[in-house]
Amino acid sequence: MLPLIRPLFLLLLLGALLAGPAAAQQPALRQRALTSKITRQLRVRPDATPDFVNVNRLAYFEDKKALKAIQKAEKRKNWNAARGMLEQYVARFGIENFYKNNQMLWRLGQLFERAGNEEKAKAYYRLALKHHRQDVRKIQLYYDSLEQKDADLYVPLKTYYEIVEYRKNIATFRPPKGVYTNMGDGINSEVEDYGPTYNDETSQLIFSSKRKRRGIHGIIDEDLYVARREGESWLDAEPLPKPINSPYNEGSACLSKDGTTMYFSRCECPTCHGNCDLFVSTFKNGQWTVPQSLGMNVNSSAWDSQPTLSRTEDTLYFASDRIGGFGLSDIWFTYKLKSGQWAKAQNMGPIVNTRESEVSPFYHPLYNVLYFSSRGQLLNFGDFDIYKAYRAAGRWQEPINIGPLVNGRGSEYYFTIDAASKNLYYARSEEKQLKNLDLYSFPLPMEAQPLATTHVEGTLIDSVTQKPLGGIVSIVDVDNGIEVASKYIRPDGSFDFDLIDGSKYVMLIQSPDYFTVEKKFDLQADTVLKLMTTSIDYNIPLIFRNIEFDPGKATIRPEMHSTLDRIVVFLVDHPETRLRIAGHTDALGDPDVNEKLSGDRADAIRKYIETKGKLQPNRIESFGYGSTEPLKDEVTEEDRRINRRVEFRLIKPQADQKPADSGAGSGW
């Protein structure tokens, strides 16, 4: 069910790790083997996020004696002792401490920064920002300055799509599979459609919709609908039968892996404890049983909805705006006791939850990865964004925004994916419009992939000046065609991506200042790359040493293709840049014949580039100068070889330059 959306606070925050019960050990050997394989595949390095053991034990922790000892150490400038005691104190925080004693989080971050432990410092700064209820602009600016060297500088979505379109002109680079696609009128309606859950066993999508009206006053009746997949197509959605749907409102379902158990939310019913409660039903003898409430251990007197099962199906995560949480709504969890009953619900803690709203959790069916929607994390592209959080070393790690290919300027909720992590299904609304939620589906991009945990980082340096270069980095997954959002290179020349281990990639770095850098690599482990290239001087023509023709001929040789293709890529990537090609010969032979031969060679190169890049003819000019513009007096055969050349001059948009004149060329 949709949460009650409160006004957005001034600060958009990032966020989070967390806690939850350990997954129950599987008795079956086959399940243990699968779990072991999954653990090996999901290689997540624990970060510096702390753990808080009292979050679900105490509302507020206070130890006046310990506080006096910390103050005494601070007064004596005994920073190591103060840091150790304060860390122990903060580790015992209850939920209320995070906003009542928020300054302690900030101070602890400062003490860790003083000690040179920047990772732990940033972990506590993040907590302070996510749970601060006062004006935190100064704190935010300071934290941003620390994060600047590691910030992800995603290119605008419009620029990304332009890059994709340019790539389609060159067969060498297979374009990504696609962008988000509305699931169509067979599933979506004119009102809100959201809350999808996909079941691999039954190939069915169950979702919530407000399309039904009841009574003479047309009261909205929110129900659960199911659409079945046949091949690549979806059959028209149909409402689930009674007793799942009722005269009350139902929504936000999740299914067990075998499709026989359904957890969902029912609202405003006579037996509900609060606004919405969680219910369960099983499929027996061809029909669903009468739904049963999960009871007061799980449900509260507030709004409880949007359940999702852990991969072992012994833990249930859900969203609730009950009193006693961190923010407007939080992610909570419950787990099965030996008796088969559900334990008292617990809060996931201050890493995942913030002082704002966290909703619509989704647990990956194979991996310990939790996806959820939030408007309280530090990196945010719009209103609500979708994040993923890994579980490692017994704790939930800092949530990661799954990037601009999913998260736009509007709101994204109810993320769900299939077990193979190929396709995602989620609800989104356009910017500043909350009442037009539709369901969308498209291939899962790299940032959202659960196995994208292998780190690739690199720097791009000018080979002459040794200074960092800027540009846009794009990565193509050549094995799977998975999209990877392009990023700008940081001011220090650095960039990084999290990719899937064991896959083949092509890295493309583009800029108007140099030819596209292409790097192919098979990813086997965390990788550090140092790339070098030479900046283009638009005032000096480029001379490529492998551009040589057979004597007396103007036929493009196969060994020229790789160099000419670099020029093609550059012109495709920079559609307003023009090119002038000048052919030159040595002084042997008839001057008129040489002039025609040099012109034919320049024309042959022009036609190759225009055809390969599908370029407009007016972007390239070609000239033949014969032997009239030698670079050297011809005394030796080496002198004649130097004079036999083709010069390429790139012309910036609106640049006023004359056709390629003589000058010292850049050797490539």
Side-chain angles (χ1 to χ4, degrees):
M1 309 294 281
L2 276 173
L4 180 63
I5 305 301
R6 273 77 166 193
L8 178 63
F9 280 61
L10 292 175
L11 179 64
L12 293 175
L13 310 170
L14 192 181
L17 335 73
L18 229 260
Q25 185 177 7
Q26 299 300 310
L29 179 62
R30 180 174 153 307
Q31 182 62 43
R32 287 202 301 269
L34 175 62
T35 301
S36 176
K37 180 181 178 182
I38 288 169
T39 302
R40 290 196 303 271
Q41 286 179 303
L42 195 61
R43 299 184 304 175
V44 182
R45 297 175 300 278
D47 58 26
T49 303
D51 199 8
F52 300 96
V53 297
N54 280 340
V55 160
N56 287 292
R57 298 175 184 172
L58 300 174
Y60 183 77
F61 168 77
E62 185 176 38
D63 184 338
K64 293 181 179 179
K65 183 178 179 180
L67 288 175
K68 287 181 179 179
I70 294 169
Q71 292 169 359
K72 185 177 181 179
E74 286 262 18
K75 188 174 181 180
R76 293 180 175 179
K77 297 184 179 181
N78 188 345
W79 309 124
N80 289 338
R83 185 183 67 252
M85 289 187 290
L86 185 56
E87 185 178 22
Q88 291 179 11
Y89 192 93
V90 166
R92 292 179 283 176
F93 269 14
I95 289 178
E96 292 180 8
N97 290 96
F98 283 87
Y99 64 90
K100 290 182 177 179
N101 301 128
N102 189 271
Q103 75 283 355
M104 291 186 187
L105 298 170
W106 184 252
R107 181 56 181 158
L108 186 54
Q110 290 176 316
L111 290 172
F112 271 113
E113 189 177 2
R114 175 186 284 271
N117 192 333
E118 189 172 295
E119 288 305 306
K120 270 203 168 184
K122 289 193 290 187
Y124 285 104
Y125 290 156
R126 284 193 294 265
L127 284 167
L129 287 168
K130 287 188 295 182
H131 298 285
H132 207 296
R133 300 195 178 184
Q134 306 299 322
D135 186 349
V136 292
R137 282 174 292 185
K138 290 183 179 179
I139 295 175
Q140 181 74 63
L141 288 171
Y142 180 76
Y143 176 78
D144 289 345
S145 70
L146 289 179
E147 284 285 89
Q148 187 174 12
K149 64 181 180 182
D150 299 317
D152 287 324
L153 306 178
Y154 288 107
V155 303
L157 208 55
K158 180 177 182 293
T159 302
Y160 172 79
Y161 290 146
E162 288 173 351
I163 292 170
V164 171
E165 288 302 313
Y166 296 157
R167 292 287 172 213
K168 289 179 181 177
N169 291 325
I170 305 173
T172 309
F173 303 108
R174 191 172 73 187
K177 290 182 177 179
V179 297
Y180 68 78
T181 304
N182 189 294
M183 294 189 71
D185 295 338
I187 290 179
N188 289 313
S189 66
E190 294 180 355
V191 297
E192 295 100 315
D193 303 286
Y194 53 93
T197 181
Y198 180 74
N199 185 268
D200 287 89
E201 291 291 326
T202 60
S203 296
Q204 62 182 2
L205 187 82
I206 295 177
F207 64 95
S208 312
S209 180
K210 293 184 177 181
R211 65 189 67 183
K212 185 179 177 182
R213 298 290 187 271
R214 53 184 168 84
I216 59 175
H217 299 294
I219 298 173
I220 294 174
D221 187 3
E222 185 176 0
D223 280 342
L224 288 167
Y225 288 74
V226 60
R228 289 175 174 80
R229 187 170 190 165
E230 288 190 354
E232 296 300 316
S233 302
W234 291 95
L235 300 180
D236 288 352
E238 298 177 350
L240 285 174
K242 296 179 180 179
I244 299 297
N245 287 327
S246 74
Y248 311 104
N249 291 330
E250 288 79 29
S252 300
C254 75
L255 290 171
S256 59
K257 290 176 185 174
D258 62 9
T260 62
T261 303
M262 182 192 303
Y263 298 89
F264 66 96
S265 181
R266 176 172 284 173
C267 300
E268 300 167 355
C269 66
T271 59
C272 289
H273 300 290
N275 172 255
C276 294
D277 278 8
L278 296 175
F279 284 76
V280 62
S281 176
T282 56
F283 195 73
K284 293 181 179 180
N285 302 320
Q287 62 183 1
W288 291 100
T289 61
V290 175
Q292 300 295 315
S293 170
L294 295 191
M296 286 300 290
N297 262 359
V298 178
N299 294 311
S300 70
S301 59
W303 169 82
D304 303 293
S305 187
Q306 304 168 345
T308 182
L309 279 170
S310 67
R311 64 178 180 82
T312 50
E313 300 192 350
D314 60 354
T315 305
L316 188 77
Y317 298 85
F318 62 97
S320 176
D321 65 359
R322 66 186 64 188
I323 295 173
F326 286 94
L328 303 179
S329 60
D330 284 2
I331 308 297
W332 296 71
F333 69 90
T334 179
Y335 58 94
K336 276 190 176 178
L337 302 169
K338 291 182 179 179
S339 64
Q341 300 298 310
W342 291 102
K344 184 175 177 59
Q346 298 183 43
N347 191 289
M348 283 195 68
I351 308 302
V352 167
N353 292 317
T354 70
R355 70 183 179 95
E356 259 288 350
S357 295
E358 280 68 46
V359 294
S360 60
F362 167 74
Y363 207 105
H364 194 282
L366 290 181
Y367 308 110
N368 284 325
V369 187
L370 181 73
Y371 298 84
F372 63 96
S373 183
S374 172
R375 71 189 324 182
Q377 308 298 324
L378 295 180
L379 174 61
N380 197 291
F381 293 101
D383 189 2
F384 277 89
D385 276 8
I386 295 169
Y387 298 79
K388 66 177 179 181
Y390 291 96
R391 188 169 175 82
R395 298 199 304 270
W396 289 102
Q397 308 297 294
E398 186 71 20
I400 301 166
N401 189 301
I402 64 172
L405 298 186
V406 174
N407 293 318
R409 293 186 177 182
S411 296
E412 287 74 34
Y413 309 95
Y414 303 105
F415 178 96
T416 188
I417 59 180
D418 54 22
S421 303
K422 289 185 176 180
N423 295 298
L424 67 86
Y425 309 92
Y426 75 123
R428 71 183 298 271
S429 70
E430 297 302 327
E431 185 179 6
K432 297 180 181 179
Q433 298 181 32
L434 193 59
K435 292 189 176 181
N436 66 331
L437 283 172
D438 274 352
L439 291 175
Y440 288 76
S441 174
F442 66 99
L444 194 68
M446 185 63 68
E447 287 78 8
Q449 290 283 338
L451 292 179
T453 59
T454 301
H455 198 64
V456 175
E457 61 182 76
T459 54
L460 183 65
I461 304 296
D462 189 301
S463 59
V464 177
T465 67
Q466 298 299 305
K467 292 182 178 180
L469 292 172
I472 293 175
V473 186
S474 301
I475 291 184
V476 179
D477 181 328
V478 296
D479 283 340
N480 307 305
I482 295 174
E483 293 189 49
V484 186
S486 300
K487 297 178 183 178
Y488 291 110
I489 296 176
R490 302 183 188 104
D492 64 357
S494 68
F495 57 87
D496 61 65
F497 294 85
D498 288 324
L499 304 175
I500 299 174
D501 198 34
S503 296
K504 293 186 171 91
Y505 296 95
V506 174
M507 177 182 293
L508 304 162
I509 307 180
Q510 306 157 246
S511 169
D513 298 325
Y514 49 82
F515 282 101
T516 296
V517 177
E518 178 182 336
K519 173 71 175 177
K520 297 180 181 179
F521 58 97
D522 295 349
L523 189 61
Q524 300 299 331
D526 289 351
T527 301
V528 178
L529 303 170
K530 184 175 182 180
L531 305 175
M532 304 186 77
T533 190
T534 304
S535 299
I536 295 171
D537 187 338
Y538 284 86
N539 297 312
I540 299 176
L542 302 169
I543 300 173
F544 298 93
R545 293 195 179 106
N546 70 330
I547 303 296
E548 288 195 12
F549 291 84
D550 291 330
K553 294 184 179 180
T555 304
I556 302 292
R557 299 167 64 182
E559 50 265 39
M560 300 181 191
H561 290 177
S562 61
T563 297
L564 295 179
D565 289 347
R566 293 175 68 193
I567 301 174
V568 172
V569 170
F570 188 89
L571 292 174
V572 169
D573 288 342
H574 305 89
E576 295 183 3
T577 299
R578 294 185 295 117
L579 175 67
R580 287 176 179 149
I581 306 171
H584 300 267
T585 67
D586 58 33
L588 294 177
D590 185 286
D592 292 336
V593 173
N594 286 341
E595 183 175 343
K596 183 178 184 306
L597 179 61
S598 64
D600 290 344
R601 288 172 172 175
D603 285 343
I605 291 174
R606 174 180 56 79
K607 291 175 182 177
Y608 177 92
I609 294 173
E610 287 176 346
T611 301
K612 189 70 178 287
K614 300 178 182 178
L615 305 176
Q616 295 297 320
N618 60 359
R619 288 187 61 192
I620 305 176
E621 298 174 320
S622 56
F623 303 89
Y625 292 92
S627 59
T628 62
E629 295 185 354
L631 294 178
K632 297 191 70 175
D633 293 334
E634 295 182 7
V635 178
T636 66
E637 174 57 31
E638 177 62 19
D639 297 335
R640 285 188 284 274
R641 191 195 66 78
I642 290 173
N643 286 338
R644 294 191 302 267
R645 69 196 187 279
V646 177
E647 295 180 350
F648 299 84
R649 187 185 293 277
L650 291 164
I651 305 166
K652 287 185 177 181
Q654 300 178 348
D656 184 17
Q657 298 183 28
K658 296 179 180 179
D661 42 59
S662 61
S666 299
W668 289 68

